[in-house]
Every structure is written in C-alpha cells, then in structure tokens.
Amino acid sequence: MSLRNSWNLGSAYPVSAFILLHFVLRLVVAQFSNLGVDEVYYTLYAEHLDWAYFDHPPMVGWLIWLTTAGGFLDTDLFLRLSALITGSINLFLLYAIGRRLHSDLCGWLAVVFGAASFYTAIISGVFILPDTPLTTGWLAGLYFFVRYNQSHGNKWLLWMGIAIGFAMLSKYIAVFAWGGAGLYWLFKDVKVLKNPFLWGSIGISAVMFLPVFLWNLNSEYSGLNYHADRVGGSIWPSLRHFFPNFFGQIFYNNPVNVVLIVIAIFSLFRSPLWFKNSRFFALLCWGLPLVFITLIMALYNQTLPHWSGPAYYSLLLLAIIYFIEKKPVKWLRKAAVASTVLYMLVIFIGLLQINYAILPLSTTQEPTQLGKTDFTSDLSAWSQAYKTTDENLTPNIPIITAKWFPAAHIQRYVAKENPVYVYGERNDQHHYLVIHQEQPPILAGQDAYYITTSQYYREPPQDLVMQFESMSESQIIPLTRNQIVRNNLFVWQLHKAKANVSMHP
C-alpha cells in the first residue's frame, strides 16, 4: 500500500473540510473565553488608528477596526474574527507550500501538524495579536519564495516583497524573512542578488514600512528605546529567562512537532544533505536563524516564546519532507495522531479551566494574590465585570491604575463611561501615553477611582495619593465565572484632587 493511499488523501477537498472543522473548533475557543491581557490592549489601536504605536506596527489595529466595522460590531468574537480567518488562510498556505516543495501528501501533513501547533491554532489563530497578520504575511512570503526558486519568475519576487511588507506592518521581527531569503541566495544562487527585481521587491517592502519608520523617527510616543531594552539587558548571560523561553517554544509549537523537527535537523546535519539539498537548506535559512537569535536573547533578557513562532513553519515543513522520504507509514501516522491528540487534550482542559477552574492553578486564596499564578484568569471572568461593578462605580469619575495591564481590561469590561488613566513611567503606560493627550486631565477638586486586580495587585502609589486630599478604604469586588471567584478588583476612591493630577511619578 502506498503512503498516499494509506492516508486516503490526495485532493484539496478533504483539506478544505479539515480546515473548516478546525475553524469551528477555534470558533468555540474564541466564544468561550474572554480577551487576554494583550488582546484587550490591542483594541485600543483600533480606537486610535495610526501608522504605528508604542509597541508594534499598526496592522493588528487595522484588522480589529475592519472586523468590528469601525467599532460598530464591538464584541469579543468580532474582535477575534480576523484571527479565525487568517488562521484558516495559514493552513491553506502550509498546504500549498508543502505541495510545491514535495507532494500533495506533504501539504496535507503540513496542515495536520500545523493545525496541532498551539502557536498556529491559538496564539495567532484565535487570539488577536500582532502575530495574527504576521504569520499570514510570513507564510505568503515563504510561498512566493518557493515559487521563485522553482521558476525564477520575477513576478514571484515582487509578490514576495508585498507579502513580507505586510508582515513588517504587523511585527518588526518580520524582517528576518528577508534575512533568511538572502542567506539562502548568498550560498545557493548568488546571481539572484544581482537581479534588479529582487531590489525592487525589497524596495516594495521598504516603501510599505516607510510610514512606520517615519512615525518612530518623529513621534514622541515611539517605543524604540523600549524595544532596545527588551533585546538588550544584562551583559552577562543567565539561564533565568532562557529555560522559560526554551520550554515555551517547545510547548507553543507542540512538543510532538518539535521532536520531529529536532530529529530531522540532527539527522540532516550528520551528512552533507542539509546543504546539498536546496529544499532543506532553504527551509533551514527561513527558520533556524530566528530560533537561535531568540534563544540567545533569552540569555540576556526576559523574552517571550512566541517571538520565534513563524520560524517553526519552515522547520516543520523540513521535518515532514524528511520523514516522508525516510520513515515508514505507520510511524508518520502515529506521530500525526499523537500531535493532534495532545492538541485536543490541551484545548479541552484549557476550556474547562477557563470556565470551571478544574485545576488548582491559584496557589493561594489570599485576596490580593488570587489568580496571580493562574494564567487562564485573564480569559475567564472579565465578561462579568461590568455587571458586578455597575452599582459600585459612579459614571464619568476617572479611573486610575498603575500599568497598561490591567488598564485595558478595566477600560473594556469595567469602565464603560469612566475615562481610564495609567499612572507610571513611559514603559508602564505604553499607548496610554497617547490616550492621556486625547482625554481631559483630572482637574483640581475632582474625585477619582484607583483600581487594581489581585492578579496584578499594586496598591495606590504614594505619589499619586498625595495629589488628593484623602483616600477611602479599598472595596473588594469579586470577579466570578460560573459562580467561581477567579479574580478580585480592588477599588479605592480618591477625594478632591489638590491640583491637576499628573500621571507621572
């Protein structure tokens, strides 16, 4: 029995059905969870459209604005709609790339294994993050890169420039796509570097990114120093942040998938095949540099595992091609089943945890610490916050908190008619630097609320309290989901500002 027949695959129809089923599963996850701490922050981008922001380029804000019809369809599901759509597009792109590189079977397996990646399916396929459009631009760029290498048709270079430009409008890390392509051509097809269409393609990406560059160059709200601190840090390496990043990358991309990738890469490096085979070398160039660089960065500063997420697409394709050619049918079938079962198990437990707190992730019931160690807390109880706090907060009285998180959650789920301010340094305020300029200041004689949560508990800063005549005792408001307390809100009332209130210490 052939490998293709044993899987009963061979046309785009079952692939489409599989992707549709995967879309429905992701839709369920989106429906039964609240916006996470980053997602709810990016909704502010859509409310204040610009060419760039303190944290990222603008694409995620544009997508939110588009799927919510400019805020008219302002529900959590419509906010996440672009992630659900691009998540399916990404699977189609994986299928198309796999077919181009090897076979229909390769494309099919890329979809199956890719759909079981938590980065592909959840982080960029449910959550609305900069990675949502980044992954689509990255995969489209990889597809056009493959098409160009196979045909040397210059139109594919131009399309590649557009795709990577789209990715660069999503997240700065997308520039590594051009780096990976350039590395491949430098060693395998150096004459491409003399092709004027290549430089025209790079020019297209540069022109698309130019407004973001100019914004960062001229805006007082630029976060370039913030990003420099994130990638810099200590001059001495440390394992403190390395292992969380290392194991986070393994989990986000599905441990089964990562094991396949590691075995394939080490097997290839034992022979000259990794360099002689152009397909393998191209996929290594698109993936390994970003993985290595993020791991090296983790030795010197706190980094996030999903930063390297796009790199694993090409490495997954490399592993699939390698094992199709080297391993028997049953082995591949078992690997695909294991990857999918692990993904489904984590999603099932995750939804139960979000909705019913079945695992004791909160290690304490101390009111000021509740939910601090439960990473699902942000996804669980916020949708009930407005009903819970409606009778406790007077409309139009300003709300102050100490950091952009939980400020964005408070603004979306609690404040409604109350303007929200963040008291702190620039790196505490992020996009609230801009929002503060658009809102009237808190004037002398005005009252305000100071609100924090048990997950990110911070008492009112003394410098802030001193700007008011008095402060009431805190009121604790529990946030529940299915009658289970997942988080606490702490509300202090600050009485009569002595002068216009400064949001900087």
Side-chain angles (χ1 to χ4, degrees):
M1 180 182 293
S2 72
L3 188 59
R4 174 190 291 255
N5 291 337
S6 70
W7 284 80
N8 194 26
L9 309 174
S11 74
Y13 176 78
V15 171
S16 301
F18 181 91
I19 292 175
L20 178 61
L21 182 63
H22 194 258
F23 176 89
V24 172
L25 176 60
R26 290 183 290 113
L27 181 66
V28 170
V29 176
Q31 180 63 32
F32 289 94
S33 60
N34 295 157
L35 298 178
V37 63
D38 293 303
E39 293 179 277
V40 74
Y41 172 72
Y42 296 128
T43 65
L44 302 176
Y45 288 14
E47 296 172 7
H48 306 84
L49 293 179
D50 208 337
W51 280 107
Y53 300 91
F54 183 88
D55 321 75
H56 293 291
M59 187 60 72
V60 64
W62 295 354
L63 288 182
I64 293 172
W65 184 89
L66 183 64
T67 58
T68 60
F72 181 73
L73 303 171
D74 189 20
T75 68
D76 289 0
L77 188 59
F78 277 101
L79 285 164
R80 286 172 163 172
L81 182 59
S82 59
L84 296 170
I85 293 171
T86 58
S88 295
I89 293 173
N90 290 347
L91 293 180
F92 274 114
L93 285 169
L94 279 171
Y95 176 68
I97 297 168
R99 286 192 66 187
R100 278 283 161 187
L101 284 172
H102 190 274
S103 62
D104 188 74
L105 173 62
C106 178
W108 234 109
L109 290 174
V111 171
V112 173
F113 283 107
S117 161
F118 301 105
Y119 177 77
T120 301
I122 303 298
I123 294 174
S124 63
V126 172
F127 300 157
I128 180 64
L129 302 171
D131 293 75
T132 298
L134 166 70
T135 51
T136 303
W138 184 282
L139 279 169
L142 178 57
Y143 173 78
F144 296 129
F145 172 72
V146 170
R147 292 299 302 265
Y148 174 76
N149 288 333
Q150 291 177 340
S151 68
H152 281 80
N154 287 323
K155 67 177 181 179
W156 301 117
L157 277 179
L158 300 180
W159 278 113
M160 182 179 166
I162 294 171
I164 297 178
F166 179 89
M168 290 168 64
L169 285 171
S170 307
K171 205 168 181 179
Y172 298 118
I173 209 165
V175 73
F176 279 91
W178 272 122
L183 185 64
Y184 171 79
W185 288 322
L186 181 65
F187 285 96
K188 282 293 186 178
D189 200 357
V190 71
K191 65 179 182 295
V192 176
L193 302 180
K194 301 178 182 179
N195 186 340
F197 282 90
L198 169 63
W199 298 104
S201 179
I202 294 173
I204 290 172
S205 295
V207 169
M208 292 175 68
F209 187 72
L210 182 62
V212 178
F213 175 78
L214 293 176
W215 185 94
N216 277 285
L217 198 64
N218 298 309
S219 175
E220 62 180 302
Y221 308 117
S222 171
L224 289 181
N225 288 335
Y226 165 73
H227 286 291
D229 290 340
R230 295 180 88 187
V231 302
S234 171
I235 61 172
W236 300 107
S238 169
L239 298 179
R240 177 186 175 191
H241 302 304
F242 177 83
F243 284 115
N245 186 293
F246 177 78
F247 290 111
Q249 289 192 34
I250 293 173
F251 175 75
Y252 282 3
N253 294 283
N254 193 313
V256 176
N257 295 5
V258 175
V259 168
L260 294 179
I261 290 168
V262 171
I263 293 174
I265 290 175
F266 274 92
S267 299
L268 286 172
F269 279 152
R270 292 171 62 185
S271 73
L273 188 63
W274 67 273
F275 186 79
K276 290 183 177 180
N277 187 307
S278 295
R279 289 179 306 179
F280 290 149
F281 187 67
L283 294 171
L284 286 170
C285 288
W286 267 75
L288 276 187
L290 181 55
V291 173
F292 283 148
I293 287 173
T294 54
L295 289 174
I296 291 171
M297 287 165 53
L299 289 170
Y300 298 92
N301 209 345
Q302 184 174 8
T303 56
L304 298 175
H306 69 276
W307 289 3
S308 62
Y312 283 87
Y313 289 130
S314 61
L315 300 180
L316 180 62
L317 286 160
L318 177 148
I320 291 169
I321 294 171
Y322 176 81
F323 285 114
I324 285 177
E325 296 178 350
K326 300 294 182 180
K327 293 291 182 179
V329 176
K330 290 182 179 180
W331 197 91
L332 277 172
R333 183 188 295 120
K334 289 179 180 178
V337 170
S339 181
T340 304
V341 168
L342 176 60
Y343 166 76
M344 293 297 296
L345 181 63
V346 171
I347 295 302
F348 180 69
I349 293 174
L351 284 175
L352 289 178
Q353 178 65 22
I354 290 168
N355 289 277
Y356 300 101
I358 62 170
L359 301 175
L361 298 182
S362 286
T363 56
T364 177
Q365 293 301 307
E366 168 66 30
T368 60
Q369 300 295 311
L370 185 65
K372 192 175 184 67
T373 56
D374 182 357
F375 61 89
T376 67
S377 177
D378 275 333
L379 301 170
S380 60
W382 279 104
S383 59
Q384 304 299 315
Y386 184 64
K387 297 176 184 178
T388 306
T389 59
D390 188 32
E391 60 186 34
N392 297 288
L393 299 180
T394 303
N396 301 316
I397 292 183
I399 294 174
I400 305 172
T401 190
K403 202 173 180 68
W404 63 270
F405 59 91
H409 264 129
I410 292 170
Q411 181 163 337
R412 178 163 183 81
Y413 294 110
V414 175
K416 301 300 181 181
E417 298 177 10
N418 304 75
V420 175
Y421 299 80
V422 174
Y423 180 83
E425 304 291 347
R426 284 176 60 89
N427 288 356
D428 295 322
Q429 296 184 10
H430 285 218
H431 187 60
Y432 280 93
L433 290 164
V434 177
I435 294 175
H436 290 166
Q437 301 303 313
E438 298 178 354
Q439 294 179 160
I442 301 175
L443 302 174
Q446 272 190 285
D447 290 352
Y449 295 111
Y450 178 87
I451 300 181
T452 190
T453 70
S454 54
Q455 190 174 15
Y456 306 110
Y457 185 80
R458 291 188 178 189
E459 291 192 352
Q462 194 61 32
D463 290 344
L464 173 65
V465 174
M466 292 297 293
Q467 297 186 59
F468 292 83
E469 291 187 4
S470 63
M471 179 179 71
S472 64
E473 292 293 322
S474 65
Q475 178 184 6
I476 301 178
I477 303 173
L479 300 182
T480 65
R481 190 177 184 109
N482 292 316
Q483 301 180 334
I484 302 170
V485 179
R486 304 299 299 277
N487 211 333
N488 286 321
L489 284 181
F490 293 81
V491 181
W492 289 262
Q493 187 153 9
L494 305 166
H495 301 284
K496 292 186 179 180
K498 298 175 183 178
N500 290 1
V501 178
S502 169
M503 289 299 133
H504 297 279

